[in-house]
Amino acid sequence: MRTRRPVRHSAPPLAALLLAAALALTGCGGAGDDSGGKSAADRGAAGPRADEKAAGVEAGAGGAASGARATAPPKLTGSAVIRTAELTVQVEDVPEALDRARARAEDAGGYVGNETTTRDEEGRERTRVVLRVPVEKYEEVLTDLEGSGRLLERSAKAQDVTDQVVDVESRVRTQRASVARIRELMDRATKLSDVVTLEGELSTRQADLEALLARQASLKDRTSLATITLSLSRTPVAEAAEDDDPGFLDALAGGWHAFLTMLRWLAVALGAVLPFAAVAAALLLLWLRVVRPRLPRRPAPAGATGTPGPLPTARPVPGSESRQPGGRD
């Protein structure tokens, strides 16, 4: 007589059943996210809830209780606030004021971020620097920077992001539980197709987890360190008021300035003409000493070269012959 052996279910059907349930619930969550326009982090949060249901079918009430504890939102003891401020201060010495601002931020436990220095058309220096200081020292550092010179502009802003911090921390915990659940399913899977499907789901959920961790780190940095943007500019020199009625000394100073200006222009003109004059003088000297003596001379006229003839005699004046010296008419 044959004895019947108890029928045992193999692991592959169970893994396939859990995989199908997880993917079905994940697909429902993904469709709802697409219709509602949620982010990738929301889709990642829906997937872990499907895994928790699948794990609850497998583990029973104990697994459901552990999943509920994993997705419980964290409790914060205080509020999370992002504080930013912008200051425009006018100082006499920009580099010195910048050094003091740097030292003040470092003494408070912060650091110096971006820094930009420019000069305007009149040569005045302008500097823009971003300071990151702990929230506990924010008010103190801000007051010290305001008193470093003449305050021209001030603006401060506080943004409460407590809800965002709580939401991100909750999603990070849920996503980590989801990744751990997928890893457990991969350890129990025996078919190659199940392993490939679970690996694709694992890579997607790990990417969502990394995005949530990056957002969590950004919120932590912005809430733990306040941002102060400080703009420093040099104080313009006060111009003396001009006298409407100039005196003798003013006229003398103006004339002397005009005279010196004229001498400078004459010297400039002389300096510009002097090379040309030197070249012209050299050419003239060359013509007189070298070129001209070698040129053929012109022949003299014929009358000028012969022997001079007798001088013409003077003609007597009419009536002068009848007159005698000392005679009478």
Side-chain angles (χ1 to χ4, degrees):
M1 185 175 181
R2 296 179 181 179
T3 57
R4 296 181 179 180
R5 296 180 180 179
V7 180
R8 298 179 180 178
H9 297 283
S10 58
L14 179 59
L17 178 60
L18 294 177
L19 177 61
L23 294 178
L25 293 176
T26 304
C28 295
D33 295 338
D34 294 338
S35 61
K38 295 183 179 180
S39 61
D42 297 333
R43 293 195 299 270
R49 288 195 292 269
D51 292 339
E52 290 168 9
K53 292 182 180 179
V57 174
E58 178 185 1
S66 62
R69 287 192 300 269
T71 57
K75 296 181 180 180
L76 295 181
T77 57
S79 59
V81 180
I82 299 176
R83 299 184 181 276
T84 58
E86 294 185 4
L87 296 176
T88 302
V89 183
Q90 201 172 56
V91 295
E92 295 181 358
D93 191 350
V94 174
E96 183 180 355
L98 180 60
D99 292 340
R100 289 199 303 265
R102 289 173 180 169
R104 189 66 187 87
E106 293 175 357
D107 292 342
Y111 62 92
V112 180
N114 298 331
E115 180 180 335
T116 305
T117 301
T118 58
R119 289 184 180 274
D120 57 10
E121 298 178 354
E122 299 179 358
R124 290 195 295 264
E125 185 176 357
R126 298 177 182 272
T127 299
R128 183 177 182 272
V129 61
V130 178
L131 306 176
R132 303 296 307 279
V133 297
V135 178
E136 298 80 9
K137 302 287 186 178
Y138 168 72
E139 295 293 342
E140 182 180 351
V141 174
L142 190 62
T143 303
D144 292 344
L145 295 178
E146 290 178 1
S148 60
R150 180 185 177 187
L151 181 63
L152 299 180
E153 185 178 357
R154 179 186 185 275
S155 62
K157 181 180 179 182
Q159 181 183 3
D160 190 356
V161 292
T162 306
D163 296 339
Q164 297 182 24
V165 173
V166 173
D167 180 66
V168 171
E169 290 186 359
S170 176
R171 291 184 180 185
V172 167
R173 291 188 179 185
T174 303
Q175 198 71 11
R176 283 176 176 171
S178 173
V179 171
R181 199 81 63 209
I182 296 296
R183 291 185 182 276
E184 292 178 1
L185 293 177
M186 288 182 62
D187 294 338
R188 299 176 58 181
T190 57
K191 292 183 179 180
L192 180 60
S193 59
D194 296 343
V195 173
V196 172
T197 304
L198 288 172
E199 284 182 351
E201 188 69 20
L202 179 62
S203 62
T204 301
R205 301 193 181 190
Q206 282 182 339
D208 294 340
L209 177 59
E210 291 177 359
L212 288 172
L213 290 176
R215 185 180 177 188
Q216 186 183 36
S218 176
L219 287 173
K220 183 179 180 181
D221 177 72
R222 295 166 62 190
T223 54
S224 60
L225 294 175
T227 303
I228 301 177
T229 303
L230 177 63
S231 298
L232 298 173
S233 61
R234 197 181 70 180
T235 304
V237 180
E239 298 181 357
E242 297 182 357
D243 191 0
D244 296 337
D245 298 329
F248 174 76
L249 295 179
D250 296 332
L252 182 62
W256 179 253
H257 178 71
F259 177 72
L260 293 180
T261 303
M262 182 187 67
L263 290 180
R264 282 197 298 269
W265 281 109
L266 288 177
V268 171
L270 181 61
V273 174
L274 188 60
F276 298 95
V279 173
L283 293 176
L284 181 61
L285 183 62
L286 181 65
W287 169 265
L288 295 176
R289 296 295 180 88
V290 180
V291 178
R292 186 177 179 181
R294 295 183 180 183
L295 292 177
R297 297 183 179 181
R298 296 180 182 180
T305 57
T307 304
L311 297 175
T313 57
R315 294 180 180 181
V317 179
S320 61
E321 297 178 355
S322 60
R323 297 179 181 179
Q324 297 296 327
R328 298 179 181 179
D329 292 338

